[in-house]
Amino acid sequence: MPPCKPLHWVLHFALDFFPGNEYPALMIERKKQRSLSTQRRVASTPCPETQFLPYLAQIDLFSEERTETLLSLAKTLEQVEFPAHAVIYAEGDAGEDMFILLKGELNITKHNRFITVLNPIDYIGEMALIENLPRSATVVSATPVRLLRLSGTSFHDYLLSNPHALVKMLQTLSRRIRRDTEQLAREYEKANILIHDMRDRMSAFVLLDFLDDAALPAEARRTLTLLQQVRSDLASMSEEALANAKGLRYCKECGINSLHALVEDVRDTLSHHPDVKGKPIVVESVGAIPDIPFDRVGISRVMTNLVINAGQASQTGSPIVIRLSADRERASIAVTDQGCGIPETIKDKVFLPQFTTKPHGHGLGLASCKEIVEGRHGGALHLVSQEGQGTTFRVALPISRPSNELRG
């Protein structure tokens, strides 16, 4: 199945450009989670093994086991209880235990984003035991909970003494993968249909071409030009997303473009965006900036993301500074805010897909920027930030390219 990333990034750009809901103005620091090793258990008691046979039989990993096998496994279980809001385990912790939820609710989060709620009789932690990898998500009790704990040692002993269970587990995991793949395919198709319909709806923007720009004042003519340019950009992005959905290679060439003109377009387009309004965008140039080969739509997407992020991190009245510079090899654009800065603990995560510190963020913007700048243009995108002193994101693009065709 073709990769889904371009679809998500197109929708992300469209949501940013036509905001229906205002995003929070300030970035928030990721909450620190305490792992199971440091979390105090309310209760820990041995299990009367026969009492828990029905629960084991409901777990798909064990549902086809004989009663004698389940009985031996039940003898290794430990019943534990946690109060509400306790961290059962945190993302990145060692995978030492598997848990079966008997009572209460558990919240699952990943990269500080809510994923789902689990109810009895669900189970958690089995993948870390099977793969021998760190936890891939954080689990927090939404209510007081009662769990059955199966230690990693007991789990592996169970597999060693029941090798046939491996085959059954593989079959279970295969069914799970097939189910998830079918679900992804359905969601992917919905996204394709949505983008297709968005492209058709954009046909209404053709009405912009019927306006008599000669009769308009200068400011209105500038607005009309920007709207026509955005219409063209969104149409191009829709075509690219639909080509990706069909598994077709979408080739784009880098024309010779002006970074200064692009930055001014982004500044004027975003001046009334709810996250940027009231925060003046200042454009500065250090020396002469040559016209260079780049994809104007792609770099416009990058600048839109970076300026909106700067606006979300800034207080009203604080300037957002865009500084252009160039040397013999690269032209650079630096976007600087006067916000609270990015904590050292998450600097290496901000470009990861789906990582966000915003309650309603998508975690796609900076990942998209990284792919466009580095993956497609062979440039570089990095940040400099200090808590309490703001953040600078710097985009560096090569002055010349061996080929006008973009990578990827």
Side-chain angles (χ1 to χ4, degrees), residues 335-386:
V335 180
T336 302
D337 63 58
Q338 309 298 319
C340 59
I342 298 175
E344 194 69 34
T345 53
I346 65 170
K347 282 183 181 178
D348 61 342
K349 298 183 177 68
V350 296
F351 293 110
L352 297 176
Q354 299 184 2
F355 177 81
T356 182
T357 60
K358 307 168 191 174
H360 303 288
H362 303 285
L364 297 174
L366 288 177
S368 169
C369 292
K370 191 83 166 174
E371 193 272 338
I372 291 171
V373 173
E374 298 185 356
R376 299 190 187 185
H377 287 81
L381 173 60
H382 65 272
L383 68 90
V384 177
S385 183
Q386 188 171 348

Side-chain angles (χ1 to χ4, degrees), residues 210-353:
F210 292 92
L211 294 176
D212 183 6
D213 57 344
L216 297 174
E219 185 176 352
R221 287 200 302 272
R222 173 64 173 160
T223 300
L224 176 60
T225 300
L226 291 173
L227 287 173
Q228 290 171 328
Q229 185 62 67
V230 169
R231 175 195 65 190
S232 175
D233 292 351
L234 291 175
S236 174
M237 293 162 62
S238 297
E239 292 297 332
E240 180 180 358
L242 290 172
N244 289 330
K246 296 176 182 177
L248 303 176
R249 188 166 181 263
Y250 187 80
C251 296
K252 298 185 70 175
E253 292 189 352
C254 289
I256 303 300
N257 294 296
S258 166
L259 283 175
H260 197 279
L262 180 142
V263 166
E264 288 186 337
D265 286 351
V266 170
R267 177 197 62 193
D268 295 347
T269 302
L270 295 179
S271 59
H272 295 287
H273 189 285
D275 289 328
V276 179
K277 188 176 182 180
K279 303 157 190 176
I281 302 174
V282 180
V283 179
E284 301 175 351
S285 292
V286 181
I289 310 299
D291 291 349
I292 63 172
F294 65 88
D295 170 29
R296 197 199 58 77
V297 176
I299 299 304
S300 178
R301 290 167 58 189
V302 171
M303 293 306 302
T304 297
N305 272 298
L306 295 182
V307 171
I308 290 175
N309 283 353
Q312 291 170 346
S314 300
Q315 298 281 3
T316 299
S318 296
I320 300 168
V321 179
I322 305 176
R323 183 175 289 106
L324 295 98
S325 60
D327 56 29
R328 291 183 178 181
E329 296 183 351
R330 295 195 170 192
S332 298
I333 314 173
V335 180
T336 302
D337 63 58
Q338 309 298 319
C340 59
I342 298 175
E344 194 69 34
T345 53
I346 65 170
K347 282 183 181 178
D348 61 342
K349 298 183 177 68
V350 296
F351 293 110
L352 297 176

